[in-house]
Every structure is written in structure tokens, then in C-alpha cells.
Amino acid sequence: MSIVNKTIIIVNNVICRAVLLLRRLSTGDNRLKSIHLNHNTTKESLFTNLVCLHRDLNFNKRLSCFGHSNISKPQLTRSISDNIIKMSTSNTDSTQTEKPKHTNRLITEKSPYLLQHAHNPVDWYPWCQEAIDKAKKENKLIFLSVGYSTCHWCHVMEKESFENEDVAKVMNEHFVNIKVDREERPDLDRVYMLFVMATSGGGGWPMSVFLTPDLRPVTGGTYFPPEDRWGRPGFKTVLLSLAKKWKENQAQFLEASNNIMNALENIAKVDVEASSVPGEATWNKCVRRYMSSYEPEFGGFGTAPKFPQASIFNFLFHYYARDKNNAEGKKCLEMCLYTLTKIAKGGIHDHVSSGFARYSVDNHWHVPHFEKMLYDQAQLMIAYTDAYLATKNEFFAEVVRDIVKYVNRDLRHDSGGYYSAEDADSYPTFGAPHKEEGAFCVWEYNEIKSLLGDKHIGAISYLDIFCDYFGVTESGNVSPGSDPHGELTNKNVLIIYGSKEETMLNFGISQKQFENVISECINILYEERLKRPRPHLDSKILCSWNGLIIAGLAQAGQGLGEKSFVDDAINTAEFIKEHMYDHNNKTLLHSCYRGDKGDIVQTNQPIQGFLDDYAFLIKGLLNLYEASLDLKWLNWARELQIKQNELFWDHENGGYFTCSTEDSTVVLRLKEDQDGSEPSGNSVSCHNLQRLAAYSDKNVSPEGGKDEMEMAKKLLIAFSKRLNESPTALPEMMSALMFYNDSPTQVVIAGGGADPRTQALARAVRSRLLPGRVLALADPAAADAPAGMSEALMARIRAAGDVPTAYVCRRYVCSLPVTDVKQLEDLLDKA
């Protein structure tokens, strides 16, 4: 049977089984490492889909079908390879000085991922009209390769295939080859990942898709081995087969691509079946599903791989805070605090260099996939801040400060923007022939002994105290189950299984002595680590992720009373306004880059902002307004919301598309309906709309108020089926749903912003975990009402006199004014 006929059968049959699988994954704990839909899955086939994954891969599919599928879940490993992978390097990450043999068009790009491939023998194009026109003119299939710079298996496929001159020769002769950074072009990545997942049942990066010259997908997958093995064809075999079939059966290819696009369009539709917003039963169902999937020994929801999915914490903290006497709410708080504690003590937390890794491959949060992503740091700042506000436990505050230390030290450009990520792989020593995962982070016992062995407190060795506290052993502390290929043999990943009290008791030392010893040991190890080759830094600066970090810094600055965090958020907002904002069109750009000289540079054709850029930045600006009470951030947020509505709103069915209609090369506009490693733009926008409406006091005006509440309502109705059927797929939107049903808690403080009495009232608000809280400052001397505040309320404010005064409004009914901090606290603490 021809490959085209097989593709058509896939569209008509296999897609249904993928749909059922993905729905099942979306309603549970979303465990997805590598899924296969073969009925006859063998032990060998468990090792065939080697990919880098994020937690947001579970696209929901909506095709009705029938049948039974015997789906096998592959074994989880850190990495699977029968060879040592000698990693290639970009011109910004190399220990080699020799002149490269090959240079292709990617050399003029700014993306670190594209630059990593600039010296492949493959004749790569970036995504551009020139490449598309070439495919049409020469009547060739397009090979689209999508990945990102810190993706381990992207590096592997590059080394095995894209640096292979024989493979490159086939690619160059028969295909137009396009390389895409998924973080630069999330719109393209989502479209073709939807295709790969729907037709194969699995997804991840590298993503390898073959397109017709009009950009319609015909077949694809993820990682392909260079030669035939593991029961699947090698990449060269696939290339030659497809090239032959395209020449012989082009009409069938085109027919198949039309069928595929029709199927994808149906899959991508958001079913709008409801006419009203869901209610309490929906979020109660969501809570109970999290309770049933909660893992009580080490926390988290489900088993390995374990991701610190911050949207879940946001929802559960919100559920608890709206009624702190509710038994299920108390259970939600307990699950959050225990899980966050275990994550902070785990190996996923870098105890030496700070910050958090992407995920843990085991159940203990011990052995991580070592890459560090900006969006994880940003969202975990908020989760740990909420934990601190709920408990006032300084442990959680210290974790927040640790994250801020990491991002400011290792991910921040001098001008205020934050870089995207640090790689998991690095050279173990300078001059080493290949990179290893975690090489920068792990320790052998003898290394630690050589650094700490001569230090003592009395007769007690620093080494013994340190090893006891962090679980270090002479033979290494990584279990074989977390390291099946021996990459971490004799290595230690620092983890705290016990407590400092237990270690203090074991050695008979005081808390001050313990803290001095551990602090000194960490400093010694940190200085030693700086002597190692650093992991690759993805110096791409994304508007969306910087919006998240603004939100995190502003929230942490409020909750912990750290003005410097708020100042950092202000600097980042100013950075975006200078480098990623078109003042004439009032539009955002998606990315900018660190140049060779450390300056900020842009591509020849800047990438226009996507939904997430607007939604995440607006969230950050709203948090920043509440942290600084500077009206300019609220005004910019409102301006951006108007532009977001213009570019992305679906006027027919409600909700936002992920991209605008401006780029004709995007063959399908999608609506993201999954809160994964990042929250969906729709979920964050639902919060933003309601907050902006609250600032406008429900006035009917072009700037917001009633119109924005109506949009939030339409958005929730658009996703109501998803919320009801798969509640754990959208925890961030579930929080927005509670916000909508409860209405916000509005706190308006009338007074001069610099007045210490005004600041004391603001601190009382910021120091509490208040769901749906909206904080605004009204200066009685100001000529205009801030943020569209009603004239009735402004009249009361102006009549209040010179004493700073607070008003607490719930369900749009305001309390009597209070001027005393204790009175305000009592009002805020009422159920």
C-alpha cells in the first residue's frame, strides 16, 4: 500500500484512537512521555519515540469514533540511546575554534536554536516566503524541522542526521528544508504538532513534518534514527521513500493533504454547546479529581514524570482562600503546601545555583531533566508567594528569594529583559569531546570531599553534615531506575529527604551552627561549579515569558514586601516597551535577542506578537500596577487589551485565537484550551478581562467595564464543555470561573501614594491571600477618576478628607470607609 493511502487511512481511523487517548490524558494527570498507538506494541517499540516534552502537549481532540485501542505507555527514562552523543555546538556555544566546513542561511538568524544549525551541511531555510516559493517553483515537498535550543533530542537528531553529509545530500536534492524555533513561532508549532499528535498519538521535539508546497502536512513524526532500527525506518529511508512517492503519486499526496486539513479543522473547533457559564459543580469536580490523583508520599498529582505545573497551585490556593473553613479547601491547601515543600527540597531544585529544573523523572522530585526554563521560575514565584501568604512560613519566602536570585543572576540582560532558558546538557570539562546531561549540576562524593574535607566545627566534619543533609553517598544517590543508561553512575543530585532539625540532632549542633556550615558549603560548591563549562544559554527574549516574570516579580514583591522585586518588574516592563512594542501601531513584538556585543537586536522581519504575548504581559502589568500603584501600568494594560481584542477575538463563538490573520503562511488558526507548562492565553485573558472590568466599576464605556465582563462571560461559555468534561485540563481557567461567579474583592485606597498611612493600608491588603482581589489607589487631589472608577465612589472619596481611607467592595457593594489598619484587616478577613 502506498504511503499516501496509508496516510488517508490514518486520518480516517488512527486519529480516532489518538483522540480517545488524548482526551483520557487531559482528564487525568496528563502523564505523557511518549505514546504509541500500535496494536502490537513490543518491548522494542517502547524505545522508538525519543523526544523532549513539555507538559502542555495534550491537545484536546473532538472527533467521535468507536473501537478499542490497546495503548502501551513506554518506560520513562532520562534519555535513551545506544551511543554516546557528541553534541554539536552553535557559534555561541563552542569549545572548538576551527573554521566550520559548511555555512547555510541560518547564519543570519538571531535565534540561538537556528544558529546551532547554521553550520549543518543541510541547505536550511528559516520559515520565510523565499523557501515556500522555492518549493512551489521546484515542485518539492517541504521538510519542516521544529525544536528549541535546549532540547536534548533535537541535538541528537542534528548530530546523527543533519550533520551527516550523505543524509544532507538527500535532503538538499529532494526537499526544501525549513528549520523553526518553536519558541519563536509557537503558532506554527501548534498547528503541525496537532497534526503529528492526531496521526501518531504522540508528540514532542524534534518535530519532523513533511508538507506540500502549499504548507499542508502529509506525514510526520518526532525523532527519526539515522538508520533503520527499533522496528522503524531510519531518516534516510523515510526521505528517499517520500521523494519517490511524491514524484509518482503527487495527486494522491494532494488529496491526502486536503483530507488531513479538513480533519484538523474539525479537531481545532471549540464546541460551543452551552448558553450559560458553568457553576460551582464544575470547580468542585475539578478539586475532587485533583484529590484523587494526588500522590501523598512526595506530593504532586500523578506519578513520574512530575512537573511543577503552577496553574494547579493557582487554582487550589484560590479554592482554599475563597472559604478557609471549607474542609475540601483545607485539603487543597495541604496538598499545595506539602507538594511545594517536597519540590523545594527535591533535586529538581538546584540547591547550589538556585532555580528549578523543568521536571523530575522520578516520583521523589529527585533526578531532574536539568534544563531551566524562565516560565517555570516566573510561575513558581507566585506559587511560593501564595504559600507564604497562606502560612507566613519563612521557608516559602526563602524559596521565592532563591528563584529571584537565580533569574537576576543568570537569565537577565543588563537592560532588564530575561532570557529564555539554560540547557540540560553541558561539557563535563573544558575540551571534552561531547556534552552530558546534568554535567554542570551533579557531584561525585570525592569532589565534595576534596572541597569540604578539611573543614570542621569542633570535631565534626563539614563533609559529614553536608552529606547527611543532602543525601550524598560515596557511590552516588541516583537510583538505576532513574538512570537506566548509567549516565549518572557515582553521581549525586542534592536532595533533602529529612529536615535541618534531624541533621542538627544527629550531630548535636545548634541551628546557627547548622546554617553557617550549610551556607559555607554551598558557597564553596558554587564557586567550584563556576569553574565548569556552563550549559548553553538561550539568549532569546520572549515577550510572553517576560510578561510572566513581571507578574511573578510584582506578586512576590507585594507578598514579601520586597521593593527591589517590584523595581525589577518595572525595569522589565520598561524593557518591553522600548524593545518589543510598536508605539505607532500599539502592537507587541514576540521576541528580541542579545547581539554579539551584548546589545539588543531584532530580526530583519520582526515576529509580531501572539495571544500569549498580550495576555501574559497584561497580567504582568496588572500585577505591577497593584504592586506600584502607578497608574501608567494599568493604562498600558487597558490599551493592550483593546489591541488583543482587535487581533485575536472570535466574534462568532467567543474566545481568542492564538494568532492573528496577518500571516497567510499559518494554515490553521487554533484556540488553545490546555493549561500546561504555561497557562493558555484564553485562561489568563479571562482573568485579565475581569480585573480590568473591576477597575472600571462596571461602567459602560469603550475602555472596559460591562463590555469586558461580557467578553469574559462569552469566553467561559465557549469553553464550558471543556471545563465540564475535562476540568483538570484548564485549572487556570477554572480559577477564572470562580472569580466570575464570586465577583472580585475590590479594595480602593484614597490617599497620597507617598503617604506612609496609605502605604500601611496597602500592605494590609498585599499581605493576605485574597482570591479575586483588585487593589486600586485613588488620589483625592487627582483631576480624573483612576481606571474609570465611578463618579459616585469618587465623590465619597473626595468627601473623606485628608486621612488615607480604604473601601472594601464585594459584589459591587462597598463597606463603610476605614482609616485604621486593624479595621481594614478585619474587613478583609471576613469570609
Side-chain angles (χ1 to χ4, degrees):
M1 183 182 296
S2 73
I3 191 168
V4 177
N5 290 333
K6 287 181 180 178
T7 303
I8 295 173
I9 291 173
I10 286 173
V11 172
N12 293 330
N13 297 303
V14 177
I15 196 170
C16 293
R17 288 185 277 124
V19 169
L20 291 176
L21 168 64
L22 294 167
R23 278 180 168 165
R24 191 174 304 129
L25 288 168
S26 294
T27 56
D29 62 339
N30 298 335
R31 286 173 290 164
L32 176 63
K33 182 66 179 178
S34 166
I35 303 297
H36 304 279
L37 296 174
N38 299 325
H39 284 289
N40 300 315
T41 303
T42 64
K43 185 175 181 180
E44 284 282 316
S45 70
L46 296 178
F47 295 87
T48 63
N49 195 8
L50 312 178
V51 292
C52 296
L53 292 181
H54 293 264
R55 188 142 191 176
D56 53 1
L57 270 179
N58 301 334
F59 293 92
N60 187 46
K61 314 295 182 236
R62 300 173 183 82
L63 292 181
S64 58
C65 55
F66 60 89
H68 173 72
S69 177
N70 179 23
I71 300 169
S72 297
K73 182 180 185 294
Q75 297 175 13
L76 171 70
T77 60
R78 295 176 61 255
S79 58
I80 305 168
S81 178
D82 53 4
N83 298 307
I84 292 176
I85 304 301
K86 296 184 178 180
M87 299 298 183
S88 62
T89 56
S90 72
N91 60 344
T92 59
D93 177 35
S94 179
T95 60
Q96 309 298 322
T97 58
E98 64 270 15
K99 184 178 179 180
K101 183 178 180 181
H102 304 279
T103 301
N104 57 52
R105 291 171 183 81
L106 300 184
I107 196 64
T108 62
E109 294 298 305
K110 305 301 182 186
S111 158
Y113 176 63
L114 299 187
L115 289 171
Q116 285 175 346
H117 294 263
H119 297 299
N120 296 164
V122 178
D123 186 17
W124 289 116
Y125 285 81
W127 185 271
C128 61
Q129 193 62 46
E130 180 186 358
I132 298 166
D133 291 343
K134 177 181 172 67
K136 291 177 179 177
K137 181 180 179 180
E138 298 181 8
N139 194 26
K140 289 181 177 179
L141 287 175
I142 293 170
F143 171 64
L144 174 66
S145 176
V146 182
Y148 57 102
S149 77
T150 58
C151 164
H152 174 80
W153 284 101
C154 300
H155 301 327
V156 174
M157 191 167 176
E158 178 190 15
K159 183 62 186 178
E160 292 179 338
S161 294
F162 303 148
E163 290 191 348
N164 184 307
E165 296 200 10
D166 291 336
V167 174
K169 183 178 180 181
V170 175
M171 295 173 68
N172 296 338
E173 181 178 351
H174 297 290
F175 301 90
V176 173
N177 304 290
I178 298 179
K179 177 65 71 173
V180 165
D181 182 338
R182 70 171 294 261
E183 295 165 355
E184 267 195 332
R185 293 301 303 264
D187 53 339
L188 298 172
D189 178 63
R190 286 179 179 129
V191 169
Y192 296 113
M193 185 62 73
L194 175 65
F195 162 73
V196 169
M197 294 187 70
T199 54
S200 71
W205 299 275
M207 178 170 62
S208 307
V209 189
F210 294 88
L211 316 177
T212 62
D214 62 355
L215 307 178
R216 295 169 179 259
V218 290
T219 191
T222 52
Y223 165 85
F224 287 94
E227 307 295 338
D228 299 354
R229 66 189 186 201
W230 299 325
R232 70 187 297 179
F235 187 54
K236 189 174 179 180
T237 299
V238 171
L239 292 170
L240 291 171
S241 175
L242 280 170
K244 183 174 184 291
K245 303 295 184 185
W246 173 250
K247 290 178 181 179
E248 296 175 352
N249 300 301
Q250 192 168 136
Q252 286 181 293
F253 265 92
L254 296 174
E255 180 184 359
S257 70
N258 287 332
N259 292 337
I260 288 167
M261 284 306 301
N262 289 336
L264 291 179
E265 287 170 2
N266 288 330
I267 290 170
K269 289 179 181 176
V270 175
D271 299 331
V272 182
E273 297 181 354
S275 58
S276 61
V277 175
E280 186 174 6
T282 302
W283 62 73
N284 284 338
K285 181 197 296 186
C286 187
V287 164
R288 285 162 193 155
R289 288 198 178 174
Y290 281 127
M291 286 181 176
S292 67
S293 65
Y294 178 68
E295 195 280 288
E297 185 178 6
F298 285 91
F301 302 91
T303 55
K306 282 187 168 180
F307 292 74
Q309 192 172 343
S311 293
I312 298 175
F313 298 123
N314 293 345
F315 166 67
L316 295 176
F317 275 126
H318 189 161
Y319 185 90
Y320 157 73
R322 63 191 296 273
D323 184 1
K324 296 176 183 177
N325 295 317
N326 177 276
E328 288 188 335
K330 291 178 180 179
K331 177 63 176 176
C332 289
L333 177 65
E334 177 187 319
M335 292 190 298
C336 287
L337 297 179
Y338 188 76
T339 300
L340 288 168
T341 299
K342 286 297 185 181
I343 291 173
K345 290 186 173 184
I348 191 175
H349 184 194
D350 190 338
H351 297 281
V352 173
S353 293
S354 307
F356 287 86
R358 180 76 280 275
Y359 62 85
S360 165
V361 305
D362 55 59
N363 195 53
H364 298 187
W365 304 102
H366 183 194
V367 182
H369 176 51
F370 291 88
E371 85 183 303
K372 294 178 181 177
M373 310 300 296
L374 177 64
Y375 57 73
D376 282 321
Q377 319 307 321
Q379 293 177 90
L380 285 171
M381 279 185 202
I382 293 179
Y384 281 99
T385 297
D386 285 349
Y388 171 73
L389 292 176
T391 63
K392 294 300 190 290
N393 186 334
E394 192 62 24
F395 170 82
F396 298 113
E398 285 304 312
V399 177
V400 176
R401 295 186 183 101
D402 182 75
I403 299 172
V404 176
K405 177 174 70 174
Y406 166 67
V407 297
N408 281 346
R409 183 191 65 216
D410 293 342
L411 294 183
R412 188 180 179 101
H413 187 274
D414 291 343
S415 299
Y418 288 88
Y419 306 129
S420 296
E422 282 194 300
D423 205 342
D425 304 315
S426 60
Y427 292 101
T429 58
F430 289 99
H434 60 85
K435 293 182 178 182
E436 297 175 3
E437 186 174 0
F440 187 69
C441 301
V442 297
W443 302 90
E444 292 186 357
Y445 174 81
N446 286 337
E447 289 181 276
I448 298 175
K449 182 178 180 180
S450 68
L451 295 168
L452 307 179
D454 62 346
K455 294 187 172 295
H456 294 79
I457 178 170
I460 304 168
S461 167
Y462 276 31
L463 176 68
D464 292 340
I465 296 172
F466 184 87
C467 291
D468 180 82
Y469 186 58
F470 285 112
V472 174
T473 70
E474 293 188 35
S475 58
N477 67 3
V478 177
S479 69
S482 298
D483 184 34
H485 299 280
E487 294 175 318
L488 298 179
T489 300
N490 296 326
K491 306 291 186 181
N492 289 277
V493 177
L494 304 185
I495 184 171
I496 304 168
Y497 280 112
S499 66
K500 64 181 181 181
E501 288 78 14
E502 290 172 334
T503 298
M504 288 158 50
L505 184 62
N506 289 342
F507 293 94
I509 56 177
S510 68
Q511 180 172 333
K512 184 176 181 180
Q513 289 174 318
F514 168 84
E515 290 173 350
N516 288 341
V517 168
I518 294 299
S519 176
E520 187 174 348
C521 290
I522 290 296
N523 288 336
I524 291 170
L525 265 63
Y526 175 74
E527 292 299 323
E528 182 66 21
R529 186 181 279 186
L530 291 181
K531 300 174 185 177
R532 299 174 176 178
R534 288 197 67 87
H536 162 74
L537 173 70
D538 189 324
S539 57
K540 179 172 67 269
I541 298 174
L542 299 176
C543 182
S544 55
W545 296 0
N546 275 261
L548 290 177
I549 203 76
I550 292 170
L553 288 166
Q555 188 79 352
Q558 290 185 74
L560 275 61
E562 295 277 4
K563 183 179 180 298
S564 64
F565 296 175
V566 180
D567 291 339
D568 291 335
I570 290 171
N571 290 338
T572 305
E574 296 283 11
F575 175 93
I576 292 175
K577 202 157 195 177
E578 179 179 355
H579 297 287
M580 308 175 80
Y581 180 64
D582 185 327
H583 293 262
N584 294 325
N585 298 324
K586 300 185 186 301
T587 55
L588 293 172
L589 300 178
H590 176 61
S591 54
C592 62
Y593 309 83
R594 184 183 68 183
D596 294 337
K597 298 179 181 180
D599 53 336
I600 297 299
V601 296
Q602 188 53 266
T603 54
N604 292 331
Q605 293 184 319
I607 300 169
Q608 296 300 305
F610 303 107
L611 170 63
D612 287 0
D613 296 305
Y614 286 84
F616 295 177
L617 179 56
I618 291 168
K619 174 182 178 176
L621 294 175
L622 293 177
N623 284 11
L624 184 52
Y625 167 67
E626 296 195 357
S628 66
L629 296 177
D630 186 337
L631 194 58
K632 72 178 182 180
W633 304 120
L634 179 58
N635 290 337
W636 192 26
R638 188 177 299 289
E639 177 184 285
L640 290 172
Q641 187 65 58
I642 294 170
K643 180 58 66 173
Q644 177 185 317
N645 298 343
E646 175 188 321
L647 292 173
F648 308 108
W649 181 253
D650 181 353
H651 293 278
E652 182 179 353
N653 295 311
Y656 293 96
F657 293 106
T658 58
C659 61
S660 71
T661 58
E662 293 179 357
D663 189 345
S664 61
T665 66
V666 182
V667 296
L668 187 64
R669 292 179 85 198
L670 300 173
K671 287 182 189 175
E672 190 176 359
D673 59 354
Q674 181 83 22
D675 294 323
S677 57
E678 304 164 59
S680 79
N682 275 292
S683 296
V684 174
S685 294
C686 195
H687 278 281
N688 293 344
L689 288 167
Q690 294 180 78
R691 293 173 74 180
L692 287 167
Y695 284 121
S696 294
D697 201 31
K698 294 192 74 175
N699 283 330
V700 179
S701 66
E703 290 76 25
K706 185 177 180 180
D707 289 345
E708 288 169 334
M709 283 302 294
E710 187 63 24
M711 292 181 77
K713 178 181 178 180
K714 289 179 179 178
L715 191 154
L716 290 168
I717 290 174
F719 290 94
S720 60
K721 182 178 180 182
R722 181 76 158 141
L723 288 165
N724 283 316
E725 292 184 354
S726 306
T728 56
L730 285 165
E732 191 77 21
M733 192 177 291
M734 199 67 71
S735 175
L737 176 65
M738 290 191 293
F739 188 8
Y740 180 88
N741 279 273
D742 290 344
S743 80
T745 296
Q746 297 168 282
V747 183
V748 180
I749 299 175
D755 191 318
R757 297 169 297 175
T758 301
Q759 292 296 325
L761 292 171
R763 277 196 301 273
V765 180
R766 293 166 176 157
S767 64
R768 280 160 170 71
L769 183 63
L770 296 171
R773 179 261 280 169
V774 175
L775 172 63
L777 174 69
D779 188 342
D784 299 318
M789 190 178 297
S790 69
E791 281 302 319
L793 183 56
M794 277 303 298
R796 292 176 63 185
I797 289 172
R798 291 188 178 110
D802 296 331
V803 179
T805 306
Y807 301 80
V808 178
C809 308
R810 289 191 173 100
R811 297 189 178 276
Y812 304 101
V813 176
C814 295
S815 69
L816 293 173
V818 295
T819 58
D820 179 74
V821 170
K822 181 63 171 62
Q823 290 177 313
L824 176 58
E825 290 174 341
D826 291 341
L827 276 176
L828 296 172
D829 291 339
K830 283 185 178 180

